[in-house]
PDB file of all heavy atoms in Angstrom:
ATOM      1  N   LEU N 956      49.205  -3.214  26.067  1.00 90.00           N
ATOM      2  CA  LEU N 956      47.748  -3.285  25.942  1.00 90.00           C
ATOM      3  C   LEU N 956      47.201  -4.588  26.519  1.00 90.00           C
ATOM      4  O   LEU N 956      47.947  -5.544  26.775  1.00 90.00           O
ATOM      5  CB  LEU N 956      47.342  -3.169  24.465  1.00 90.00           C
ATOM      6  CG  LEU N 956      47.846  -1.944  23.700  1.00 90.00           C
ATOM      7  CD1 LEU N 956      47.396  -2.023  22.245  1.00 90.00           C
ATOM      8  CD2 LEU N 956      47.349  -0.655  24.350  1.00 90.00           C
ATOM      9  N   ALA N 957      45.889  -4.616  26.669  1.00 90.00           N
ATOM     10  CA  ALA N 957      45.208  -5.841  27.114  1.00 90.00           C
ATOM     11  C   ALA N 957      45.257  -6.878  25.996  1.00 90.00           C
ATOM     12  O   ALA N 957      44.936  -6.584  24.841  1.00 90.00           O
ATOM     13  CB  ALA N 957      43.762  -5.521  27.477  1.00 90.00           C
ATOM     14  N   TYR N 958      45.661  -8.086  26.360  1.00 90.00           N
ATOM     15  CA  TYR N 958      45.768  -9.169  25.376  1.00 90.00           C
ATOM     16  C   TYR N 958      44.367  -9.630  24.968  1.00 90.00           C
ATOM     17  O   TYR N 958      43.461  -9.769  25.793  1.00 90.00           O
ATOM     18  CB  TYR N 958      46.561 -10.326  25.981  1.00 90.00           C
ATOM     19  CG  TYR N 958      46.836 -11.454  25.011  1.00 90.00           C
ATOM     20  CD1 TYR N 958      47.788 -11.309  24.012  1.00 90.00           C
ATOM     21  CD2 TYR N 958      46.138 -12.661  25.106  1.00 90.00           C
ATOM     22  CE1 TYR N 958      48.053 -12.353  23.120  1.00 90.00           C
ATOM     23  CE2 TYR N 958      46.398 -13.704  24.222  1.00 90.00           C
ATOM     24  CZ  TYR N 958      47.348 -13.540  23.227  1.00 90.00           C
ATOM     25  OH  TYR N 958      47.610 -14.568  22.351  1.00 90.00           O
ATOM     26  N   HIS N 959      44.184  -9.890  23.666  1.00 89.00           N
ATOM     27  CA  HIS N 959      42.867 -10.302  23.167  1.00 89.00           C
ATOM     28  C   HIS N 959      42.859 -11.763  22.714  1.00 89.00           C
ATOM     29  O   HIS N 959      42.023 -12.558  23.144  1.00 89.00           O
ATOM     30  CB  HIS N 959      42.454  -9.391  22.003  1.00 89.00           C
ATOM     31  CG  HIS N 959      41.130  -9.747  21.403  1.00 89.00           C
ATOM     32  ND1 HIS N 959      39.939  -9.511  22.050  1.00 89.00           N
ATOM     33  CD2 HIS N 959      40.800 -10.335  20.214  1.00 89.00           C
ATOM     34  CE1 HIS N 959      38.930  -9.922  21.292  1.00 89.00           C
ATOM     35  NE2 HIS N 959      39.429 -10.428  20.172  1.00 89.00           N
ATOM     36  N   ALA N 960      43.796 -12.131  21.817  1.00 88.00           N
ATOM     37  CA  ALA N 960      43.826 -13.502  21.301  1.00 88.00           C
ATOM     38  C   ALA N 960      45.120 -13.711  20.534  1.00 88.00           C
ATOM     39  O   ALA N 960      45.829 -12.755  20.196  1.00 88.00           O
ATOM     40  CB  ALA N 960      42.623 -13.763  20.392  1.00 88.00           C
ATOM     41  N   GLY N 961      45.403 -14.975  20.233  1.00 87.00           N
ATOM     42  CA  GLY N 961      46.567 -15.308  19.435  1.00 87.00           C
ATOM     43  C   GLY N 961      46.221 -16.334  18.384  1.00 87.00           C
ATOM     44  O   GLY N 961      45.194 -17.020  18.461  1.00 87.00           O
ATOM     45  N   HIS N 962      47.115 -16.474  17.383  1.00 81.00           N
ATOM     46  CA  HIS N 962      46.828 -17.394  16.283  1.00 81.00           C
ATOM     47  C   HIS N 962      48.126 -17.764  15.590  1.00 81.00           C
ATOM     48  O   HIS N 962      48.984 -16.906  15.337  1.00 81.00           O
ATOM     49  CB  HIS N 962      45.880 -16.734  15.278  1.00 81.00           C
ATOM     50  CG  HIS N 962      45.660 -17.548  14.042  1.00 81.00           C
ATOM     51  ND1 HIS N 962      44.921 -18.703  14.035  1.00 81.00           N
ATOM     52  CD2 HIS N 962      46.092 -17.373  12.760  1.00 81.00           C
ATOM     53  CE1 HIS N 962      44.888 -19.208  12.814  1.00 81.00           C
ATOM     54  NE2 HIS N 962      45.608 -18.414  12.022  1.00 81.00           N
ATOM     55  N   SER N 963      48.286 -19.043  15.254  1.00 80.00           N
ATOM     56  CA  SER N 963      49.413 -19.504  14.453  1.00 80.00           C
ATOM     57  C   SER N 963      48.881 -19.986  13.116  1.00 80.00           C
ATOM     58  O   SER N 963      47.928 -20.798  13.070  1.00 80.00           O
ATOM     59  CB  SER N 963      50.150 -20.647  15.159  1.00 80.00           C
ATOM     60  OG  SER N 963      50.720 -20.198  16.369  1.00 80.00           O
ATOM     61  N   ASP N 964      49.479 -19.493  12.015  1.00 73.00           N
ATOM     62  CA  ASP N 964      48.984 -19.889  10.705  1.00 73.00           C
ATOM     63  C   ASP N 964      49.565 -21.242  10.306  1.00 73.00           C
ATOM     64  O   ASP N 964      50.306 -21.885  11.059  1.00 73.00           O
ATOM     65  CB  ASP N 964      49.267 -18.807   9.657  1.00 73.00           C
ATOM     66  CG  ASP N 964      50.753 -18.618   9.373  1.00 73.00           C
ATOM     67  OD1 ASP N 964      51.552 -19.522   9.707  1.00 73.00           O
ATOM     68  OD2 ASP N 964      51.104 -17.574   8.800  1.00 73.00           O
ATOM     69  N   ALA N 965      49.223 -21.674   9.082  1.00 61.00           N
ATOM     70  CA  ALA N 965      49.629 -23.005   8.624  1.00 61.00           C
ATOM     71  C   ALA N 965      51.139 -23.154   8.542  1.00 61.00           C
ATOM     72  O   ALA N 965      51.664 -24.274   8.580  1.00 61.00           O
ATOM     73  CB  ALA N 965      49.002 -23.282   7.262  1.00 61.00           C
TER      74      ALA N 965
END
Side-chain angles (χ1 to χ4, degrees):
L956 305 178
Y958 185 74
H959 179 72
H962 173 72
S963 296
D964 67 18

